[in-house]
Amino acid sequence: MRKIFYIITIITAFVSCKRDFIEEIPSNQYPLDIVIKDQKTLNTAVNGIYTGFVGESSNDIVNFSELITDNAMLSNTNNGQYSEIYNMTYSPLSGKVNRFWNGMYDIIAKANWVLSYENKLTSSNEDIQQTYKNLFSEARIARAYARLQLVSFFAERYDGDNQDLGIIINDTYTNDVNQIVPKARSTVKESYDAIENDLLYANNNILNIQSVTNPELNDPVVANPKKQSTRFNILAAKVLLSRLYLYERKWDKAKEFAISAEGIASGIAENTFSSPYPSGSDSVISSIFQVAYDASNDLSINSLYSYWGSSGNYKQFFATKEFYDLMSTSDKRRGIYLLISSIYDSPFPYYAKKFGTTTVNDLVLIRKAEIDFNKIEATYYSNPTEALSALKSWVKTNRDSSYNPTVSGADILTEILKQRRIEFAFEGYRFMDLKRNDLGWSKGLNYKGNTPTVSVNDNIQCLPIPIVEMNTNPKMKQNPGYNN
Amino acid sequence: MNVKLRLLSVGVLFFLGGSVFAQKGKQPKSKTDTAATEKKIEEVVLVGYGRKETASEKVGNYAVVNKERLENSHFTTVDNALTGAVAGVSLNVTSGQPGANVNMFIRGIGSLTQDTQPLVIIDGIPQITGDVSALVATTNALAGVNSNDIEEIVVLKDAASTSIYGSRGANGVLLIKTKSGKRGKMKFNFNSSYGFNEEAYNKLDLLNAQEHIKLYALGLYNTGSYASMEDATTKAISDMKWDGKTDTDWKSAVTRKNPVLKTYNFQLNGGTEVANVFTSLSYDDFEGIAKDAVMQRLSATINANFKLSDKMDLRTGFSGSRVNTEGPIDNNYVANPIKGAYQISPTQSIYKIPGDPSSGWNNDMVYYNAGSTFNSVAIQHLDKNKNLQGRITAFLEGNYNISDNFYVNSRIAGYYLNSNDFGYRNPIYGDGNTDVTINGPVNDEHPKGEYLLKGRSYVIDQKFANWIFTNVVGYNTTIKEKHDLKFTLGMEAYHNKQDYTAVYGFGFDQDYASLGYYYPDNSQSSNELGVVIGGSSPSAATLVSYLSGATYSFDKRFTISGTYRRDGSSRFGADRKWGDFWSVGASWNLDKENFMANSIFNELKLRGSYGTQGREPDGFYSAFPGSRNGGYASNGTATPITINPKLAWEKQDQFNIAIDFGLFKNKISGSVDYFDKKGRDMIVGAFYPGSNIGNTGSAGGNSVTSNVGALTNKGLEFTLNFSPIKNQSFQWDVQSNFTIIKSVVDDLPTGDNFYSEGPSENSTKIQSVGHNPSEWYLPLFAGVDPTNGNQLWYTDGTRSAATADIKKVSAAFTGKNSIAPLTGGLTNTFKYKGFLLRALFSYAGDYSVYDLAGYSQNNSGMRPNINQYASELYDSWTPDNPNATNPKYVNNNPQGRLDSTRYLYDADHIRLKNVELGFTLAKSVHKIEGLDNMYFFVQGQNLYVWAFNDKLYFDPDSSSNAYGNALAGAGIYNITAPIMKTFTFGIKLNF
C-alpha cells in the first residue's frame, strides 16, 4: 500500500506542474492588439512604415531606374551584382526584382496595418483628432509612394498598352496568413486612381506642413527641423500628386499641384552645389523626403554609396561619358561627377557623387527642384514659350549661368526633358521619364557586346512579376514576354 | 557499426537519459551450458528514459558506436565519428576549419527549412547542436565534447526508438553516454598523439601570372576590339598593372602546407563498493589550413556513482570545456583568404613594391575591381575572428528501489553554453575600409558633428542556459519465468533559454592597423569618438512532457512494446501546444523456436514498428501574434509580424520492418531494415504573396512558419558483419553497412515551390512535388556552339532547343541530388598478436556537387581580372579548337552570369576515411613496473578519395555553411576551407 502511496504522490507532483510553464511571452514583441492605442503609439507605428524604406529595396528605386536606362553603366570590373539589371536580362527568377517587389509591398503592408486603425482611433479632442488625421495621411503618402514605384516598374505607362495589367491594390493587412485573400491585378487606371486617392486624402487632411507637429508625441522630428524631411509631409503629397498627373499626362492638374507645392516650399532653399550633394546625413539642402540612415542600420557593403561612391566597396556603377557630356562646361552640376581615369572602362566613365560620402548617408527621394521641373513640363503642353523661359530662368539661376538654349517647337520638350535628366540623374527618375514619354533608349559606348536598344513598348520596360508571387498568388498574371 | 553492444555486466547500475538500474542478469541455468555462459554478460541497450532492451527484446532500430571507434580518431567534433559507421546516417561537413559544423541527416532529409540535426542527448542532457558561429566561419556547438570521454553513442532511428522523445524525435536521436568509473583500483590512462594535415583532394589547375596575362589578352582579342594579340597583350599587361615579373603564389602566402594537430588526454577511473569515479582532462590543439586558423580545446569531466544503501543510488557528473576557435571568415566573402588564394591574380603583388615587405601590403590591387584593398595577406594579418566557447554541463540523478520491481528515478541537469565571437575589421584593407558616419559633438574639425569612421569591431555573445528535470517510475517483473513485463511512466520539464547580445564598435585609429600587430580586443573604438552600438535579444522556450512505455516479452520469443508521449511546447499558440506521439513495435525471435533448433542460424529475428514522432519550429515565437520593434531616425518603431496562428506540431509517421540474423555462431551477422518515414503538416517557412504581407513574415521576408506539405523518406539499410578468420593469433573482422534512401516531396500548397535558399535567379535548388527535396534545379548547359564558341543552354527542361540568349533560358529539374541517397561504410579490422590494422572506407553515391566559384573563375571571361581555371586558357573555343570544352573566352562576357549545370559535377566516390595501424606492447613483454599495456599507433584520415568522375577537381564532400539550413547548403562548393587528410602518431599508456 505504501508503495502505491509513493507512486501516487510522485505522479501527483508531476501533474500539478504549473500550466503556465509552457507559456513563454517574448520580451521584445508586444501583442498586436495593444500596440496602437493612442497618438503616441500610432506615431511609433507610422515610424515603423519607414523601416520598409531602409534597405536595399528602396536603393533599387535608384539602381533599377539608372542601370536599366542610359545614364549609368556597370563597370567591367563588376562583381556580378546587378548585371542582370544592367543587361536587362531579368526574369521572374531574378532575386533583386523579387526583393524590390516585396520591399515596396512591405511599405504598403505596414501602412495598411496602420490604416486599419483609422476607424478605431477617434477622439473628441480636436487636436488629437487632427494628429490622428495627420498620421494616417502620412501612412497614405507612404503607401502611395510605394505603389507609384510599383506601377512605374511593373506596368505599362498610363494609357499605354496592356492597361488591364496594373498592380495589385490591396488596402487590408492581416497578420494571420489564414485570412489572406490574394488579389488579382487592378487595371493601370485603377492603380493610378488608388495612388491619387491616398495623396488627395493627405493633401486635404494635413493642416500644417509637417504631419508630426504635436509636441506631445515627443518625436525627434518635431524637435529637430533638420529631420523633418525624413518623414512624408503635405509637401511630399503635393509633389507626388504633380508627379502622378505628369505620369497620367493630366497637365493642368500636374501644374496645379506644382504651384500649390511651390506656395509652401518657399522656405526651403534650393541646393547651390556649393557643397557635396547631398551634403550630409541630417541636413540635405532642398530635400522634401529622404530615408534616414544611421550607423544602426548601416547597410555597409550593400549601400548605394558602396556601389556608386568613389571609395565604396564595390564602386562599379558609374555615370557614362555620354551623360557627362550633356552638361556644358559652365554647368555647376558637372562638379558632382568625377572622372575615373582608370583603364578598365572605355571611354572613361565618371563617379556620380550623389550618394554622400559614407555607407550611411540618407537617401534623398524627393527634393524641391522637382516642383519646378514638374511645373515647367506641365506648362509646356499649354504654353511652350512660357515653359522654355521658365526653364531658362531656373537653370540659369540655379545651375548654369550661361544657359541659353535656342530651341523651338517640339525641341522645347526635348530640352526640358534633357534638363530634367541632368538634374535628377541617379535619383530614380530616368526610367519613368523615358517610359512615360515613349522615348526608348540605347545603352551607349560603354556597353560591352551588341549595344541593346530598347524600343517604345518593349516588354523589357516592365519588370517580370517575381516567381514567388506567381506561385503563391493564383490570381496573378505575368507581364508579356516572360515565362510563367 | 551496429548492433550489439557490450557494455553492461550483470548487476551493474547504468544510467542514461534519466535511466534506471539494469535488471539483474539472468544467470545461466547450468555452468555446462556454454551458450548460456557466453550470454552471461547480457547485452542490453538503453533506449531512453531508463527503458532498456536485451537483444531478444529488441523491436526498434538503433545502432551503437562504441568507444573503440572514438578514442584514437582525433575527431575535432564528436559527430564526425558517425561517418560510414552507421547505416542510415549521412554527414555533410561544411568546412575543413577545425571545429566546423557538421550537418547530420538520419534516414534522409527530415525537413525542408527547419533544423535537420538529430536530437543529441549526452547523459540525459539535450544538447544545443548546429552552427553557433556569428562571425567565425563555423562553430560546432558540440565542439566542447571530447570524444575520449564517450563510452558509446546509440543512434536511434525508427519510431519505436525515437517516439518516446516526442519533439525532435523526427530527426532521429543520438544518445551519448560518457564513461563512468569501474569498481577496482584506480587506473590511470594517458593518450597523446601528434599529427599533421594536408589538403585531402584538390585537382584544380589555376593560371600563373604569364598564363593569366595570356588569357586576359585572349579575352580582349576575342572582343574584336583589338587588331592583334600583341595589342591585346599590351593592354592586358596595363590593365592588370603587371610588372612582367611578379608571379605570386597567393595560396602559399595565406595557407599552411601542413597544419599540425596535438592531443593529450588523461583519464583516471576506479572505485569501491560504495563509490566509483571517472575523471578526465584533455587538451587538443588543431591548426587549420588558413594561417590564422586554430582550434584549442581544454575539457574536463568528472562522473561519480555512489551506492548509498541497498535501495538508493546516486550518480553525478560534471563536465566543462573551453574551446578557442580562430579563423578567417569563410565561403563567398571576398575577405576569405582561401578564396583570395584561388582568385587573386598571380600578377598582383603582396607588397606595394613587389618582393619588398618593408614597403607595406599592397592596397591598390586589381582584384574584383581596380584599386581593391582586399589583400588576403594583409587581411589575414590584421583582421581577427575569434570564437570562445565555454560549456558546462552537470547532472545529479537519484534512484530508489521501492521494491525489487518498483523503482523511482529522478534527475536534474543543467546545460550552459556561452559562445562569444569577436571580430575586428581593420580600417585599411578589406571590409573595414569603409566610412561609417557617426554623429558626435560639434567642434572645429567636425562642424556638423559628423564623424567619418573606418574600421569596425564586433562582439557577439550567445548564451544558452537550459535545465531539464526528469522523473520516472518503473515496474519490471517476470511472471512464471516466461512473461517479462516492463512499464515506465515519467514526466519531464525542459527550459531552454537563449540570449543574444551584440556590441559593435566603429572607428579605429589607422595607426593601430598599420603597426601590423595590434588589434583591439574589444568593441570599444580607439577613435576620439568612442562609439559603441549594442543590442540584445533574449528568448526562452519550454517543453513539458508526459511519457510512458510498456514492453511485454513471452519466453524470449515474442516481444511487443509501445510508447506514448504527450508534449506541450511554448512555441505554439494557445490551443495548439500539445502533441501526442506514440509507437508500437513487435519482434519474433525465430532462432528460439524449436523448428530452428539445428539450423545454421544462431540468431534470426523479425521485428517491426510503427509510430509517430514530432517536430517543433526552430523559432521560439513563430506563432506569437506580435509586433517587431526597431528604430528609425532616432525614434522607436513598431511593425507587425505576419504569423500562422494555426501552427502546430509537425508529425512524422514511420514504419520499420527488419530482419536480424546471425549465422555460424555469429561468424556472419547483420540486419536488413526497410523504413518508410512520412512527414506531414511539415513546419516550413512557407511563402505567401508579397503583395499581401510584404516582408513582415515570421520566417523572414514573405515567408511564414506554417504547417504545409508532406515529405517521404524511405529506404533500405543493410548491415553485415563477418569474421572470415578468427583464431588464437589472427583475427579478421569485416563490418559493413549500406543505405539506399529515396526522398520525395509528396505535397506542397497548390502551385507552390519552396526555395531552401530563398528564391532568386541564383537558386540552385527548389523543392517541388514529386522531386527529391535536395534536387538541383538549374538552367541546363547545352555545351558550346562549335560555329562561334557561344555558350549554349537548353531553353527548358525538355532539352528540345538550345540558345545563347540567357533571356530565353529557364531553370529545370536536373534529376541530380545534392545529398547522397546511397551511402555505405566498410571496415576491415585485422588483429595479429599485438598488431592491429583497421581501415574504414566510406561511399557516397548518386549525387552531384556544384561549384559556386565557377561563375567567377570558369565563366568564359565574366570576371577577367581574377585568376581563372587553367582550362579556360587551354580548352576554350577558338576557331582552331572548335570542339573545346569551354566556350569562347571573351572579357566581360556579355552572355552574363548564369548558374547552370555547367558547374554541376557528379560526386560519387569512395573515401579511405580512416586507417589505423597499432601495436600493443604487453606488460609481459616490456615489464615496466607500474605500467600496464602500451599501445602505439599511426593513423590516417581521409587518406585517399576515388572520385568516379575524373572531371571533379574539388572535394566531393563539399557543403556550404553560408546558408541558413543544411538542405540549402548541401553539395555547394564555395571555397570554404578544404577537408584535410590527417596523419597522426599516437601512444596510449595504461598505469
Side-chain angles (χ1 to χ4, degrees), chain A residues 14 21 30 47 76-77 80 84 93 95 106 170 173 175 177-178 219 230 281 300 313-314 344 358 469 483, chain B residues 239 366 368-370 434 437 450 452 456 471 542 627 632 635 642-644 691-692 695 760-761 810 863 892:
Chain A
F14 295 173
F21 180 73
Y30 303 102
N47 248 307
N76 285 334
T77 61
E84 83 279 21
L93 278 169
D106 188 45
N170 182 8
Y173 167 78
N175 74 327
V177 290
N178 303 296
D219 191 293
T230 60
S281 55
S300 189
N313 273 44
Y314 295 133
Y344 306 99
T358 76
E469 182 71 29
N483 291 334
Chain B
D239 276 9
V366 182
Y368 267 89
N369 46 25
T434 317
T437 312
E450 287 169 352
L452 301 184
R456 263 169 278 164
N471 292 286
T542 49
S627 66
Y632 174 75
N635 203 359
T642 307
I643 56 154
N644 189 343
S691 58
N692 287 93
N695 290 324
S760 100
E761 75 277 26
S810 300
R863 310 262 169 281
N892 307 304

Side-chain angles (χ1 to χ4, degrees), chain A residues 248-288:
Chain A
E248 292 184 346
R249 305 185 172 190
K250 292 176 179 165
W251 315 116
D252 292 345
K253 283 190 171 178
K255 190 171 172 182
E256 177 195 327
F257 278 95
I259 291 169
S260 170
E262 209 169 34
I264 50 174
S266 53
I268 299 176
E270 184 49 68
N271 194 323
T272 59
F273 292 93
S274 56
S275 58
Y277 172 96
S279 59
S281 55
D282 282 2
S283 51
V284 178
I285 296 166
S286 86
S287 165
I288 289 173

Side-chain angles (χ1 to χ4, degrees), chain B residues 120 125 141 264 354 455 504 539 619 696 787 884 921:
Chain B
V120 178
I125 309 168
Y264 311 91
Y504 303 152
S539 53
T696 61
T787 60
L921 194 59

Side-chain angles (χ1 to χ4, degrees), chain A residues 3 6-7 10-11 14-15 17 19 21-32 35 43-45 47-51 54 76-80 83-84 87-89 93-96 98 101-103 105-106 109-110 113 168 170 172-178 180-183 219-220 227 230-231 279-283 289-292 294-298 300-301 311 313-315 342-344 357-361 448-449 460 467-469 471-473 483, chain B residues 216 235 238-239 241 366 368-371 374 402-403 406 408 430-431 433-439 448 450 452 456 467 471-473 489-491 493-495 506 533 537-538 540-544 546 568-570 577-578 621 624-629 631-646 687-696 702 704 706 750-753 755 759-761 806-808 810-811 855 862-863 865 892 894 896-897:
Chain A
K3 289 173 200 167
Y6 276 132
I7 292 161
I10 290 159
I11 289 171
F14 295 173
V15 176
C17 162
R19 280 270 154 176
F21 180 73
I22 51 170
E23 298 291 338
E24 279 291 336
I25 292 172
S27 57
N28 50 3
Q29 291 180 25
Y30 303 102
L32 268 198
V35 171
N43 186 43
T44 303
N47 248 307
I49 299 171
Y50 294 98
T51 60
V54 176
N76 285 334
T77 61
N78 75 77
N79 70 350
S83 62
E84 83 279 21
N87 294 321
M88 300 180 290
T89 53
L93 278 169
S94 173
K96 292 208 165 46
N98 185 56
W101 172 272
N102 287 341
Y105 275 109
D106 188 45
K110 286 167 178 163
W113 173 58
I168 288 176
N170 182 8
T172 57
Y173 167 78
T174 168
N175 74 327
D176 175 355
V177 290
N178 303 296
I180 287 176
V181 182
K183 297 194 79 174
D219 191 293
K227 282 195 174 283
T230 60
R231 297 191 39 176
S279 59
S281 55
D282 282 2
S283 51
F289 176 66
Q290 68 198 71
V291 182
D294 59 40
S296 67
N297 40 48
D298 178 12
S300 189
I301 54 172
S311 56
N313 273 44
Y314 295 133
K315 48 180 174 187
S342 135
I343 27 68
Y344 306 99
T357 48
T358 76
T359 58
V360 289
N361 275 116
K448 288 289 164 193
I460 230 148
I467 190 156
V468 180
E469 182 71 29
N471 285 341
T472 55
N473 182 350
N483 291 334
Chain B
Y216 193 105
K235 174 71 171 153
S238 118
D239 276 9
K241 296 188 187 167
V366 182
Y368 267 89
N369 46 25
F374 281 86
I402 297 164
S403 72
F406 259 120
V408 179
D431 290 316
N433 178 24
T434 317
D435 280 322
V436 176
T437 312
I438 302 288
N439 293 318
K448 286 182 178 153
E450 287 169 352
L452 301 184
R456 263 169 278 164
W467 58 258
N471 292 286
V472 176
V473 292
L489 199 59
M491 187 267 188
Y494 179 45
H495 191 269
F506 295 93
I533 290 174
S537 140
T542 49
L543 185 71
V544 71
Y546 301 90
S569 166
S570 68
K577 288 189 183 301
W578 293 92
Y621 306 114
F624 185 82
S627 66
R628 207 171 260 141
N629 301 315
Y632 174 75
S634 315
N635 203 359
T637 62
T639 51
I641 301 171
T642 307
I643 56 154
N644 189 343
K646 292 184 177 168
F687 291 105
Y688 287 88
S691 58
N692 287 93
I693 67 167
N695 290 324
T696 61
N702 59 330
V704 176
S706 304
T750 317
D752 207 349
N753 287 323
Y755 299 78
S760 100
E761 75 277 26
I806 65 174
K807 274 177 272 183
K808 300 200 172 103
S810 300
Y855 86 89
M862 187 62 194
R863 310 262 169 281
N865 293 352
N892 307 304
R897 172 186 178 177

